[in-house]
Amino acid sequence: MTDATYVSPLAGQRSTSARFGRIALRAGLYAMLILFALWYLMPLFVMITTSLKSLDEIRTGSLVALPREITFEPWRIAWSQACTGTQCEGLKPFMWNSVIIAIPGVLISTLIGALNGYVFAQWRFRGANMIFALLLFGCFIPFQVVLLPMAKMLGILHLAGTIPGLILVHTIYGLGFTTLFFRNYYVTIPQELVRAAKIDGAAFFRIFWSIFLPLSLPIIVVSVIWQFTQIWNDFLFGVSFSGPGTQPVTVALNNIVNSTTGVKAYNVDMASAIIAALPTLFVYVVAGKYFIRGLTAGSVKG
Amino acid sequence: MSNLLERWVPKVVLAPTFVAVLIFVYGFIGWTAWISLTKSKIMPRYEIDGFDQYTKLFATPRWDTAMNNLYLFGGLFIVISMVLGLMLAIFLDQKIRTEGVIRTIYLYPMALSMIVTGTAWKWILNPQHGIEAMVQGWGFAGFRFDWLVNPDMAIYTIVLAGVWQSSGFVMALFLAGLRSVDGEIIKAAQVDGIPNWRIYTAIIIPSMAPIFLSAFIVLSHLAIKSFDLVVALTGGGPGYATDLPATYMYAMAFSRGNLGQAASSAMIMMAVVFAIVVPYLYSELRAKHD
Amino acid sequence: MAPILDIKHLRKSYGPVDILKDINVSIEPGDFLVLVGPSGCGKSTLLNCIAGLEPITGGQLQIAGQDMTHVSPKDRNIAMVFQSYALYPTMTVAKNITFGMKVRGVDQANQQAKLKEVAELLQIDHLLNRKPGQLSGGQRQRVAMGRALVREPALFLFDEPLSNLDAKLRVEMRTEIKKLHQTLNASIVYVTHDQIEAMTLATKIVVMKGGVIQQIGTPAEIYNQPANLFVADFMGSPAMNLIPAKVARDGGSHRIEITRPGEAPLVLSDPRPLDLPGDVIMGLRPEDIAEAGFRAGAQVQQASCMVDMVEPAGADTYVVSSLGGRQVTARLHAETSARAGQPLDLAFDLAKVSYFAPQTGERLN
């Protein structure tokens, strides 16, 4: 969809009679598009400008005004001093928590998802469709329904409030989607490839390693980005299963913003929000195509 | 004999996932369902007690508010996102020169955490310093825009922020749909002299029914699960004015220490999701089999 | 000599659905066996069963004298060429060809020697460093064959290998496969739905329908003595004329009467010692109906027929006439004077006629 080479067949239709009307229509069209672009950009703009203003200027100036005097102090505070509850070390330690939750969570669920998808697409057996359906339903459950037993299970496993506990949770509930991505990708690869390789003497893992994995780069990127975004942006699991010191960045951000002690430092809030959003925004900007592909693949299921 | 062994490999590979899904999805749902039928308070108890928790739940005004909010928020969020998404997709389908840039702008909110979205809008909608103050500063001293702190209007701020976050994604779905329509059919319609807007309303949009369906599924799923946005934007307040089932469940589970209520509210949420998703998935899987 | 492939009472079913029913085929070394039939007849499934890619439900399968019924594909001493070629997309042509040897642990020097030999034979030496995506359809086809050839198997399996090529290339590659068969004296099982491919390539043809073998025979046998109506109709283009007729004993011979619209019935006489029932379907190839004076033979009989349509096809001209309620096609020479709507004297070669029972469809003579 992002490969914009395709041109709508309706585009460029020429109506000979109403040339002026056509131009007016195009102008209106562009005006609308720009208006909406501004609407989508406005919060980001406000966040950035606010984060660069001093508190005084925020109190006296307008919401959309550019900062008269740019200060990076709020950013510094957000990064290393802002209080999340009783702790006042800024977002830094929590960013790191999110990183070490996300990396194994992404890698493990992508690897298992790839193998699962490979089985579902190319090595079907009796009952495989049933298992796939069970997995697919799992993608849709509201996580609230597993929240209580998961808390108990993590307790049993001595993982309550730990980073490995959060990695486990994210890996398990990410498997449905990663499996779906790989399955839908591998299903487009002709079965004859596996057959040819079987006759060549290769077995299950050899075929996966030598033939399928080298083909999989695009879908690996989709899966990695999807899982990374999901885990990084997660709040529910983070707030439910983390302990003091193991919270991910979203939880820390929420704590900074909602901490009731002291003067509300809106500029620090905004700087914190941007810092928390930067990794996923960065991924979106450099690999938007794969990001969108994951979103659409994740929604148009089956 | 190695042939026999090979036939087992795929099953062995799938086994851990299968077991994990059985335990962590279906087993856990079962556990929650069980707890919802007990008198569990702060600790789980396993003696079945019947449907008391559900009776209690439906008699709770706060839950009532939460469900009403879900219908109101869900309905508006889905309808506005779809209408806006479709409109923007059609606009963008008109051979727009800067399409790539515009699309990137429309879609970036989807990359943000709902906590970030909530934080940003909370600031913008803040009556003291946000839009209200800004417009008053322009000289309209009587201007009021206090939705965030007005119990009757606060739920609409959630709709606003939700639509802001998700409509670009719906636009992307629809745009992909518009472009997958068979070009020959459109050419045939053009040759027949059918005006552009009629081609959209009579040919392209009806052929996108599956996309409407998946957009609807995704949005309703998002709506029912939304938790982060409410937490970050309103915290469920003022009072309980913007409580959703998700926040109600969380409050019961982790701050009120009422596992029975938490479990029964989670089961209701799942029932709502499945009422929407199961028929869809069923038809999808069936269609794939034929 | 022992048969290279021997299939006895092979059955294959998916749950309650029988895909293959009691298949019995055997071929000698050097045979080119073609499995032909309409799509869904089970021919590809049979090939996959021979390859070991599909487990069989019942029966027995031997390759080169060894029981292979439950042996995995890699140990069956076979090689296979697929319809989509199934080239490994991320590997170069050379790697595609040597992958099997590498998996089997053949040493490098040997791999390279075999690769070189096969690449020369198939004239693909200049393509060895390319990826499949950079090759034309014909080149991919050659690489797929190269991958099979390096294995030097007891039996080659081809699964509709030419169906993805355009018409011209298909004819070229057909000739090439035939040449290869002759040079290597290889044993081949080849699946196709194209009856012309079957006729030109095979030393032995198996015609299948609905999972059942309809007929096994040489191309000439299949063409001239089809075992039933299905085979008669399926093999040959244009198809064999199948004309309902009434038969009456007339001394030692049979009097055959074919109805015609708005005309007296066409009457022919078959003097051969046959035992035909009162109703038959008479099968006659278009080339066995000629313009009067252009066909000689003991059993050639002439009759005037109304021409409904004339279709010049370059080398031949096809003439269509309505006989027995069917559109009957005759294959005439190009310079025929036939005109649509005018009668024409046609010569029917009764020596070539096949008779079928209308109910069972089985051959009667």
Side-chain angles (χ1 to χ4, degrees):
Chain A
M1 159 183 44
T2 39
D3 313 271
T5 45
Y6 178 88
V7 174
S8 161
L10 294 195
Q13 270 254 302
R14 236 158 263 278
S15 148
T16 44
S17 56
R19 206 179 140 74
F20 178 76
R22 233 181 67 75
I23 293 171
L25 211 65
R26 294 286 295 170
L29 186 66
Y30 273 95
M32 287 293 277
L33 287 170
I34 291 167
L35 207 68
F36 275 103
L38 291 179
W39 183 62
Y40 284 112
L41 281 175
M42 185 264 285
L44 187 63
F45 171 79
V46 170
M47 278 161 86
I48 295 173
T49 52
T50 306
S51 76
L52 297 172
K53 292 175 186 171
S54 67
L55 269 181
D56 272 347
E57 193 182 333
I58 290 173
R59 272 189 218 103
T60 54
S62 165
L63 180 69
V64 293
L66 287 169
R68 281 189 301 267
E69 211 176 309
I70 290 179
T71 167
F72 291 101
E73 188 63 11
W75 285 72
R76 202 183 57 74
I77 295 172
W79 180 246
S80 57
Q81 278 177 15
C83 294
T84 54
T86 52
Q87 206 182 353
C88 291
E89 294 170 40
L91 279 181
K92 190 168 63 179
F94 305 100
M95 286 288 276
W96 179 243
N97 284 347
S98 278
V99 169
I100 58 175
I101 293 166
I103 289 175
V106 168
L107 294 183
I108 299 169
S109 55
T110 297
L111 179 70
I112 299 178
L115 278 168
N116 287 347
Y118 172 58
V119 171
F120 282 127
Q122 300 282 340
W123 296 81
R124 263 173 244 165
F125 52 86
R126 197 184 301 249
N129 272 332
M130 189 64 209
I131 298 179
F132 185 62
L134 285 176
L135 205 60
L136 216 55
F137 276 111
C139 290
F140 279 107
I141 56 160
F143 289 135
Q144 279 78 11
V145 85
V146 297
L147 227 45
L148 297 174
M150 194 70 204
K152 197 166 168 54
M153 178 69 98
L154 290 175
I156 293 169
L157 298 173
H158 297 290
L159 292 175
T162 66
I163 300 271
L166 281 169
I167 294 172
L168 178 76
V169 174
H170 282 299
T171 303
I172 288 172
Y173 295 109
L175 278 180
F177 276 101
T178 56
T179 301
L180 182 75
F181 291 146
F182 282 96
R183 182 256 185 197
N184 286 359
Y185 185 76
Y186 289 151
V187 123
T188 62
I189 296 172
Q191 297 226 320
E192 290 192 343
L193 221 53
V194 168
R195 303 188 151 187
K198 275 190 193 170
I199 288 176
D200 266 343
F204 184 88
F205 288 105
R206 181 71 174 251
I207 299 173
F208 179 68
W209 184 256
S210 300
I211 297 164
F212 280 77
L213 217 49
L215 276 173
S216 311
L217 188 65
I219 201 66
I220 290 174
V221 175
V222 167
S223 173
V224 164
I225 289 179
W226 168 271
Q227 267 301 83
F228 177 75
T229 318
Q230 290 300 105
I231 298 177
W232 190 272
N233 287 344
D234 161 73
F235 178 73
L236 182 63
F237 288 149
V239 76
S240 305
F241 303 135
S242 64
T246 61
Q247 286 121 331
V249 70
T250 46
V251 177
L253 169 64
N254 192 52
N255 288 345
I256 289 176
V257 174
N258 289 324
S259 74
T260 44
T261 50
V263 188
K264 283 245 37 82
Y266 297 108
N267 48 4
V268 175
D269 290 357
M270 292 304 121
S272 306
I274 297 171
I275 292 171
L278 271 181
T280 48
L281 269 183
F282 174 76
V283 166
Y284 174 68
V285 170
V286 298
K289 188 168 108 179
Y290 294 99
F291 176 82
I292 296 161
R293 212 185 282 172
L295 279 177
T296 40
S299 61
V300 190
K301 287 163 203 292
Chain B
M1 278 307 98
S2 66
N3 205 4
L4 210 70
L5 197 74
E6 274 161 37
R7 241 175 274 161
W8 274 96
V9 173
K11 295 178 193 178
V12 171
V13 166
L14 220 48
T17 305
F18 180 59
V19 171
V21 166
L22 278 191
I23 296 173
F24 288 90
V25 176
Y26 297 93
F28 279 12
I29 292 173
W31 194 90
T32 305
W34 184 288
I35 291 299
S36 77
L37 300 174
T38 69
K39 283 193 156 118
S40 301
K41 279 287 184 190
I42 199 151
M43 292 301 282
R45 293 168 53 180
Y46 297 101
E47 304 84 49
I48 295 277
D49 185 56
F51 290 90
D52 271 9
Q53 294 290 1
Y54 293 93
T55 322
K56 223 187 292 172
L57 185 67
F58 292 126
T60 308
R62 186 176 171 186
W63 173 256
D64 221 34
T65 313
M67 285 303 276
N68 283 337
N69 278 339
L70 177 62
Y71 296 135
L72 185 64
F73 162 70
L76 286 173
F77 168 68
I78 292 169
V79 169
I80 298 176
S81 294
M82 294 248 258
V83 170
L84 196 60
L86 180 61
M87 189 181 85
L88 293 177
I90 292 176
F91 285 174
L92 265 186
D93 196 29
Q94 308 306 316
K95 208 178 185 179
I96 301 301
R97 206 164 306 160
T98 50
E99 188 195 309
V101 177
I102 294 177
R103 218 175 32 199
T104 306
I105 292 171
Y106 287 3
L107 201 56
Y108 86 90
M110 206 61 194
L112 301 179
S113 160
M114 286 211 183
I115 296 292
V116 173
T117 302
T119 304
W121 281 98
K122 185 180 186 169
W123 167 237
I124 293 166
L125 298 171
N126 175 333
Q128 278 169 313
H129 304 289
I131 292 180
E132 183 177 295
M134 179 181 78
V135 177
Q136 285 173 351
W138 290 342
F140 303 93
F143 181 80
R144 304 282 296 158
F145 190 60
D146 60 352
W147 287 9
L148 197 62
V149 294
N150 179 341
D152 293 330
M153 301 305 283
I155 189 71
Y156 299 104
T157 63
I158 313 230
V159 175
L160 178 66
V163 168
W164 178 81
Q165 174 138 28
S166 307
S167 50
F169 163 61
V170 181
M171 179 277 302
L173 267 186
F174 279 129
L175 195 58
L178 288 175
R179 285 171 183 185
S180 62
V181 176
D182 183 1
E184 292 207 347
I185 298 177
I186 295 165
K187 277 183 204 148
Q190 285 174 333
V191 170
D192 283 346
I194 296 167
N196 269 354
W197 66 271
R198 285 280 297 173
I199 294 180
Y200 272 108
T201 55
I203 298 169
I204 300 179
I205 293 174
S207 76
M208 295 204 313
I211 306 221
F212 276 91
L213 193 61
S214 25
F216 173 74
I217 295 288
V218 173
L219 289 171
S220 50
H221 191 229
L222 275 176
I224 294 162
K225 288 212 296 193
S226 358
F227 169 72
D228 333 17
L229 194 58
V230 178
V231 168
L233 189 55
T234 65
Y240 300 133
T242 53
D243 240 355
L244 285 179
T247 52
Y248 179 89
M249 184 274 162
Y250 186 83
M252 289 300 149
F254 294 99
S255 41
R256 293 289 195 86
N258 192 339
L259 295 190
Q261 279 295 289
S264 56
S265 56
M267 290 309 290
I268 299 292
M269 287 178 66
M270 200 186 69
V272 175
V273 172
F274 275 27
I276 295 169
V277 166
V278 169
Y280 165 73
L281 270 187
Y282 183 71
S283 67
E284 276 283 295
L285 288 171
R286 264 180 66 102
K288 288 290 175 311
H289 276 267
D290 295 341
Chain C
M1 227 184 310
I4 198 82
L5 171 69
D6 196 11
I7 298 173
K8 288 200 180 90
H9 305 297
L10 183 146
R11 280 189 306 114
K12 169 77 187 166
S13 45
Y14 292 113
V17 188
D18 287 335
I19 306 296
L20 297 172
K21 296 167 200 157
D22 196 33
I23 304 289
N24 293 285
V25 186
S26 91
I27 64 169
E28 304 300 318
D31 257 346
F32 196 129
L33 178 78
V34 174
L35 305 176
V36 66
S39 60
C41 73
K43 56 190 191 295
S44 283
T45 309
L46 178 54
L47 194 75
N48 284 329
C49 286
I50 297 172
L53 293 167
E54 302 259 13
I56 66 176
T57 313
Q60 220 196 11
L61 192 148
Q62 286 192 351
I63 295 172
Q66 276 182 295
D67 182 22
M68 296 287 186
T69 317
H70 299 294
V71 174
S72 80
K74 64 178 184 340
D75 301 322
R76 290 195 179 200
N77 200 9
I78 50 160
M80 189 158 171
V81 176
F82 293 88
Q83 184 173 9
S84 67
Y85 318 133
L87 300 180
Y88 310 130
T90 54
M91 298 184 199
T92 61
V93 167
K95 290 234 171 77
N96 260 284
I97 293 173
T98 55
F99 181 68
M101 293 189 282
K102 196 175 140 200
V103 172
R104 275 158 220 279
V106 176
D107 64 77
Q108 271 292 329
N110 246 326
Q111 285 185 26
Q112 292 308 315
K114 285 252 186 78
L115 171 65
K116 189 162 175 286
E117 185 189 328
V118 165
E120 272 167 20
L121 180 69
L122 293 167
Q123 296 153 20
I124 50 174
D125 6 16
H126 60 294
L127 304 173
L128 292 181
N129 291 320
R130 297 214 197 148
K131 295 263 177 80
Q134 302 164 298
L135 303 180
S136 70
Q139 290 169 333
R140 282 180 213 187
Q141 173 70 66
R142 282 165 196 274
V143 176
M145 293 209 295
R147 193 168 63 182
L149 285 177
V150 286
R151 293 219 39 198
E152 295 173 356
L155 185 62
F156 286 93
L157 307 176
F158 285 82
D159 188 5
E160 309 216 21
L162 303 183
S163 59
N164 285 343
L165 298 177
D166 64 49
K168 186 161 171 283
L169 207 52
R170 191 154 39 197
V171 175
E172 268 175 47
M173 289 306 296
R174 200 167 71 196
T175 317
E176 201 130 341
I177 291 176
K178 183 149 191 158
K179 240 188 328 198
L180 218 54
H181 172 239
Q182 282 163 358
T183 4
L184 301 172
N185 196 29
S187 311
I188 295 174
V189 180
Y190 185 109
V191 163
T192 180
H193 62 267
D194 180 344
Q195 43 92 16
I196 297 177
E197 236 170 82
M199 294 295 294
T200 45
L201 289 172
T203 59
K204 195 172 189 175
I205 294 179
V206 172
V207 184
M208 295 179 66
K209 179 195 160 201
V212 177
I213 292 182
Q214 303 294 310
Q215 188 173 5
I216 304 182
T218 64
E221 282 164 1
I222 302 272
Y223 191 75
N224 294 322
Q225 282 121 45
N228 55 38
L229 279 174
F230 172 76
V231 177
D233 189 45
F234 188 76
M235 301 297 288
S237 174
M240 182 182 255
N241 296 304
L242 297 169
I243 313 158
K246 293 249 182 261
V247 177
R249 292 258 172 182
D250 187 10
S253 64
H254 290 83
R255 181 176 184 276
I256 296 156
E257 201 176 294
I258 301 164
T259 56
R260 288 192 285 192
E263 266 185 283
L266 172 70
V267 178
L268 300 167
S269 167
D270 192 333
R272 290 180 291 178
L274 298 167
D275 188 20
L276 298 176
D279 283 298
V280 296
I281 305 248
M282 190 176 138
L284 201 52
R285 298 254 172 226
E287 60 267 32
D288 298 325
I289 310 174
E291 192 166 353
F294 288 84
R295 180 88 172 202
Q299 307 303 334
V300 174
Q301 295 171 26
Q302 295 190 3
S304 172
C305 295
M306 184 56 77
V307 173
D308 291 343
M309 220 182 336
V310 178
E311 298 171 345
D316 304 303
T317 294
Y318 295 104
V319 162
V320 177
S321 178
S322 183
L323 294 175
R326 303 286 173 92
Q327 296 287 306
V328 171
T329 303
R331 187 171 184 168
L332 272 47
H333 59 99
E335 289 83 26
T336 177
S337 56
R339 290 273 174 286
Q342 289 181 3
L344 180 72
D345 281 339
L346 291 177
F348 297 82
D349 192 345
L350 275 269
K352 297 282 195 165
V353 171
S354 300
Y355 293 103
F356 303 98
Q359 277 82 34
T360 63
E362 293 305 312
R363 185 184 182 84
L364 294 166
N365 60 325

